[in-house]
Amino acid sequence: MLRETPFHPRTAALMEGQAWRRWAGYVVASSYELSHEREYHAVRSAAALFDVSPLYKYLVRGRDAVRLLDRIVTRDMTKCRVGQVLYTPWCDARGKVIDDGTISRLEETTFRMTAADPTIRWLHLNSAGLDVTIDDVSDKTAALSLQGPNARAVLELASGQELTGLKYFRLTAAKIRGAPVTISRTGYTGDLGYEVWVDATRALAVWDALIEVGTSYGITPAGMLALDLARNEAGLLLIEVDYVSAHHALIDSQTSTPFELSLGWTVALDKERFNGHDALKAEHERGPAWRFMGIEVDWDSLERLYADVGLPPKLPTAAWRASVPIYVGGLQVGYATSGCWSPLLKRYIALAHLEGAAGDPGTVVDVEVTVEHRRRRATATVRPLPFFNPDRKRA
């Protein structure tokens, strides 16, 4: 039976079309309104409030907490300071990505790790001989993501705390309606944004406070359809969509390394040994076979394909998730995994795995599209990610 998040008494009352979806055993909103368009635009022009409580959350504590995390993830955890958040993938012994998430250093020997998939068994398997405790606090900790240009103003009013000095990927303690919270300057939209972490028993008071003070700032509860559009524009990976976890892959070709996902910047090869170190070092020396890039479909090319059958272009309003072949000169050189029409950028974009030189920015490729039940090819150009990267995200 699917579970309800701590915010469900508030989110359920807002559902106009009962458009629910599953996430890690919970029900969450696909969209609250009948269309997700206003919710998406709140991300880019006001403030959108997402319930992200289904994330798996683990507290790693003890004298060897840093050693355990440093053994598992590709980032150098010894450089993570108290109050800092690191985004990182973690790999198996072959250097293949298992999952990706964030690690927050709450105290000198206390960390919170978030993950898309259950990770506690992997943590325990790697903790042999270490002085560390691992607690699954997924159900005990509720989480909200407040994203958009007005997010800071709303949070400052709700918490009574000045947040201008809170840097990108840093966190601070605060109180909202008397409830102790942790505010991290993080998110999954590529915009100015924050995530609020609170004990599940105090969750509703925090939701109510944000809605109350945020109304004049255009705060809008938003669902996963809006989030999917935003994360495509931001070029952010989604597990089991843009890559397959090494723990779930049926064959080796389904797996990816951080370098193949264009996450080489997260791999600290100069630190002590970690899971996948030798394989990743060898790959770094020879270069990855694949790269994860953006592609931008040429509108004139797409329009001609529809004009040939007497129709105007027809694109889905929601982001799509599918494997779509990409070609150069008739030879398949990769595949797109998700994409959308960007309402903000006014461009048809996609995230793609590209092989060899086909991954070079500026490369002209053909992407498969289906027009009136027939497979056709539209011209596209390889672009670096992200597509959307506003100054306010880091300012």
Side-chain angles (χ1 to χ4, degrees):
M1 183 176 180
L2 293 175
R3 294 177 290 173
E4 299 171 350
T5 77
F7 299 105
H8 191 79
R10 298 294 184 268
T11 59
L14 301 173
M15 296 293 288
E16 293 183 6
Q18 299 301 312
W20 298 101
R21 68 169 59 188
R22 300 182 181 191
W23 178 8
Y26 288 87
V27 289
V28 295
S30 286
S31 64
Y32 293 97
E33 300 181 359
L34 298 182
S35 167
H36 61 281
E37 293 178 9
R38 193 174 76 91
E39 298 170 20
Y40 160 80
H41 285 292
V43 178
R44 299 299 185 219
S45 63
L49 187 62
F50 299 93
D51 180 1
V52 294
S53 300
L55 282 169
Y56 289 95
K57 305 173 264 314
Y58 305 99
L59 282 183
V60 181
R61 293 176 284 200
R63 184 183 63 186
D64 293 330
V66 173
R67 290 183 61 194
L68 169 60
L69 294 171
D70 208 44
R71 176 184 293 179
I72 290 177
V73 305
T74 60
R75 297 292 296 272
D76 188 345
M77 292 307 304
T78 65
K79 296 180 179 179
C80 184
R81 303 293 178 243
V82 174
Q84 187 174 0
V85 185
L86 294 183
Y87 165 78
T88 182
W90 47 98
C91 304
D92 63 13
R94 303 170 301 151
K96 305 295 187 176
V97 176
I98 296 170
D99 200 348
D100 64 311
T102 60
I103 298 178
S104 305
R105 192 163 196 169
L106 306 178
E107 299 172 0
E108 191 63 32
T109 59
T110 302
F111 296 80
R112 179 179 58 238
M113 181 180 193
T114 67
D117 278 351
T119 305
I120 193 164
R121 183 172 180 270
W122 188 245
L123 287 166
H124 280 297
L125 286 172
N126 285 275
S127 66
L130 298 181
D131 181 8
V132 64
T133 61
I134 304 160
D135 295 315
D136 186 344
V137 294
S138 302
D139 295 338
K140 298 176 182 177
T141 306
L144 289 171
S145 183
L146 184 62
Q147 305 287 308
N150 293 343
R152 178 183 295 135
V154 173
L155 267 179
E156 287 182 336
L157 280 176
S159 65
Q161 187 165 315
E162 199 271 330
L163 296 173
T164 304
L166 185 61
K167 295 181 180 180
Y168 191 51
F169 271 75
R170 298 296 191 275
L171 58 83
T172 187
K175 284 190 176 182
I176 297 178
R177 286 274 169 90
V181 300
T182 300
I183 298 173
S184 59
R185 192 170 166 185
T186 49
Y188 194 52
T189 64
D191 216 309
L192 172 65
Y194 300 83
E195 290 175 314
V196 181
W197 312 84
V198 61
D199 187 280
T201 61
R202 310 290 293 272
L204 294 182
V206 172
W207 175 282
D208 292 342
L210 292 174
I211 293 295
E212 181 180 315
V213 303
T215 297
S216 59
Y217 289 86
I219 193 170
T220 303
M224 297 299 104
L225 290 176
L227 187 61
D228 220 9
L229 285 177
R231 69 101 188 165
N232 268 272
E233 293 173 338
L236 298 174
L237 291 157
L238 180 60
I239 191 172
E240 308 307 333
V241 174
D242 299 307
Y243 75 94
V244 178
S245 168
H247 284 174
H248 301 160
L250 299 177
I251 54 177
D252 189 63
S253 62
Q254 292 178 337
T255 62
S256 302
T257 69
F259 293 113
E260 291 174 331
L261 297 177
S262 296
L263 294 177
W265 62 273
T266 69
V267 182
L269 290 174
D270 56 344
K271 73 171 184 174
E272 292 186 19
R273 295 179 63 82
F274 59 92
N275 291 344
H277 177 275
D278 290 349
L280 292 174
K281 184 177 180 180
E283 182 184 19
H284 181 258
E285 291 172 354
R286 68 176 181 268
W290 293 82
R291 275 182 287 177
F292 190 72
M293 302 292 289
I295 62 167
E296 179 184 338
V297 180
D298 179 75
W299 182 257
D300 291 338
S301 171
L302 186 67
E303 192 172 41
R304 282 194 296 270
L305 295 180
Y306 280 89
D308 287 346
V309 297
L311 291 173
K314 182 180 180 181
L315 298 177
T317 57
W320 50 263
R321 303 174 179 182
S323 180
V324 177
I326 296 173
Y327 304 88
V328 170
L331 178 69
Q332 185 173 351
V333 295
Y335 54 97
T337 49
S338 54
C340 67
W341 168 258
S342 168
L344 179 70
L345 304 176
K346 302 297 186 286
R347 289 186 280 164
Y348 191 29
I349 58 176
L351 309 179
H353 296 261
L354 294 162
E355 196 169 11
D360 292 341
T363 301
V364 177
V365 298
D366 292 326
V367 58
E368 187 174 283
V369 296
T370 300
V371 179
E372 276 300 285
H373 318 295
R374 295 184 182 275
R375 296 177 180 178
R376 308 288 295 276
R377 296 180 187 177
T379 303
T381 303
V382 177
R383 302 295 189 198
L385 295 173
F387 294 105
F388 180 66
N389 190 27
D391 291 340
R392 63 179 178 248
K393 179 177 73 173
R394 295 175 177 268

